[in-house]
Amino acid sequence: MILAEYGGDARILAGGQSMMATLNLRLSAPALLIDINRIESLQGIVPASDGSYLRIGALVRHAQTASSPLVAEHLPLVAAAMRHVAHPAIRNRGTTCGSLALADPSSEMPACAIVLDAMLVLQSKDGGLRHVPASEFFFGLYETARRDDEMLIEVLFPCRGPDEVFGFDELSRRHGDFAMVGVALKADFKEGRIGNLRMATFATDPMPILSSAAAALAEGQPWSSELGEAIAAAAADELNPDENQFGSPAVKRLQARALIRRVLAATFNEPARNGHAHG
């Protein structure tokens, strides 16, 4: 109701790890902060009754996601990515859904949500519940499909399939700092052949880039270092990096290409990994 009244002049406060920084730097000046920390229904990591997905509520802290046995079992990609998320003090307060709602291009969770084809659940006073696939949620730098009167109340991550493997890694100046380039992927890997590869590169562009070229090159192919080189080159060519303090577009493409090769090799060189992600 308050969001409907204030619209774009109000901000949701959950973990506050990004919001408080922007307030301190005078980069944000909302008319109202809405603290949701006492809403019990927004807590919890809960599996679906049929085991098809895992629900992560809006108040689940990064630290809770990182330490959850359910996440480790059913979402190995998220578990691997969590090892790279910020530093302990931030993980203890920041929320997984808050990271998705902010849509920082250097964040790990948007890339994981896109790769895993997660569903983001938004709620508003007048519109009720709205389910938005992760592939349709992120528009660009801090831009998402969330409307001013909506709140992200939970994210639904599909649980891993029996033949799925996962990979994750990122480059940063110091572990836990903002990523300079990152890669997240999942694929079916059965009888030595790759299928349904979904690979996203993040921190290079205003939003994670899901590589259609990588998926096409990998489909039905046996793993080889030559295939990895071809995928890495094609995926890096799909990027359109901006120049910033981390380097030029050319440097970022080189970094992405090297990191993609590394993640692919770690994922497919040892097929008997029983689906665990590497990062």
Side-chain angles (χ1 to χ4, degrees):
M1 184 168 65
I2 298 175
L3 270 180
E5 179 182 349
Y6 280 83
D9 289 331
R11 294 290 187 275
I12 298 292
L13 180 64
Q17 297 306 290
S18 297
M19 173 60 67
M20 302 312 294
T22 61
L23 290 174
N24 287 338
L25 294 171
R26 303 297 191 267
L27 299 175
S28 178
L32 185 70
L33 288 179
I34 304 172
D35 189 341
I36 63 173
N37 279 278
R38 295 182 182 180
I39 303 177
E40 189 64 29
S41 62
L42 300 180
Q43 298 280 0
I45 300 174
V46 183
S49 58
D50 63 358
S52 61
Y53 64 82
L54 209 59
R55 171 215 183 250
I56 298 180
L59 289 179
V60 174
R61 312 294 172 187
H62 290 310
Q64 292 174 299
T65 301
S67 63
S68 167
L70 286 171
V71 171
E73 179 181 359
H74 299 294
L75 305 177
L77 178 63
V78 174
M82 276 292 159
R83 296 196 287 269
H84 297 266
V85 173
H87 302 284
I90 293 173
R91 289 197 297 270
N92 287 338
R93 287 300 301 168
T95 63
T96 301
C97 282
S99 178
L100 293 168
L102 180 64
D104 188 314
S106 296
S107 294
E108 296 81 3
M109 286 304 101
C112 288
I114 289 174
V115 166
L116 296 176
D117 203 19
M119 186 70 70
L120 288 84
V121 184
L122 304 164
Q123 186 168 19
S124 65
K125 176 177 178 290
D126 296 326
L129 292 176
R130 188 164 69 99
H131 292 69
V132 181
S135 59
E136 300 174 12
F137 184 75
F138 303 102
F139 292 163
L141 181 64
Y142 305 125
E143 295 183 3
T144 71
R146 187 186 69 82
R147 299 166 185 157
D148 287 341
D149 64 340
E150 290 180 318
M151 182 175 76
L152 176 61
I153 64 169
E154 61 190 23
V155 57
L156 311 178
F157 282 105
C159 294
R160 70 175 188 181
D163 298 315
E164 287 183 339
V165 293
F166 307 85
F168 186 93
D169 205 352
E170 67 181 49
L171 299 176
S172 59
R173 289 181 173 172
R174 181 180 59 163
H175 186 80
D177 283 359
F178 287 113
M180 297 185 288
V181 59
V183 176
L185 70 82
K186 78 162 187 173
D188 296 332
F189 198 51
K190 188 174 182 179
E191 298 178 353
R193 293 187 178 271
I194 303 169
N196 300 313
L197 175 65
R198 290 178 65 86
M199 186 181 75
T201 304
F202 66 96
T204 57
D205 291 60
M207 58 181 284
I209 303 300
L210 188 68
S211 176
S212 58
L217 284 169
E219 188 61 31
Q221 297 299 312
W223 166 252
S224 67
S225 58
E226 292 78 14
L227 177 64
E229 179 60 49
I231 290 173
D237 284 345
E238 291 178 297
L239 304 177
N240 187 27
D242 293 324
E243 184 164 358
N244 59 22
Q245 73 272 23
F246 294 135
S248 67
V251 166
K252 292 181 181 181
R253 287 194 184 93
L254 285 172
Q255 290 174 329
R257 184 168 176 171
L259 187 63
I260 290 167
R261 285 200 310 266
R262 180 193 302 177
V263 174
L264 288 168
T267 304
F268 297 114
N269 269 337
E270 297 292 339
R273 295 178 183 274
N274 65 48
H276 291 294
H278 301 268

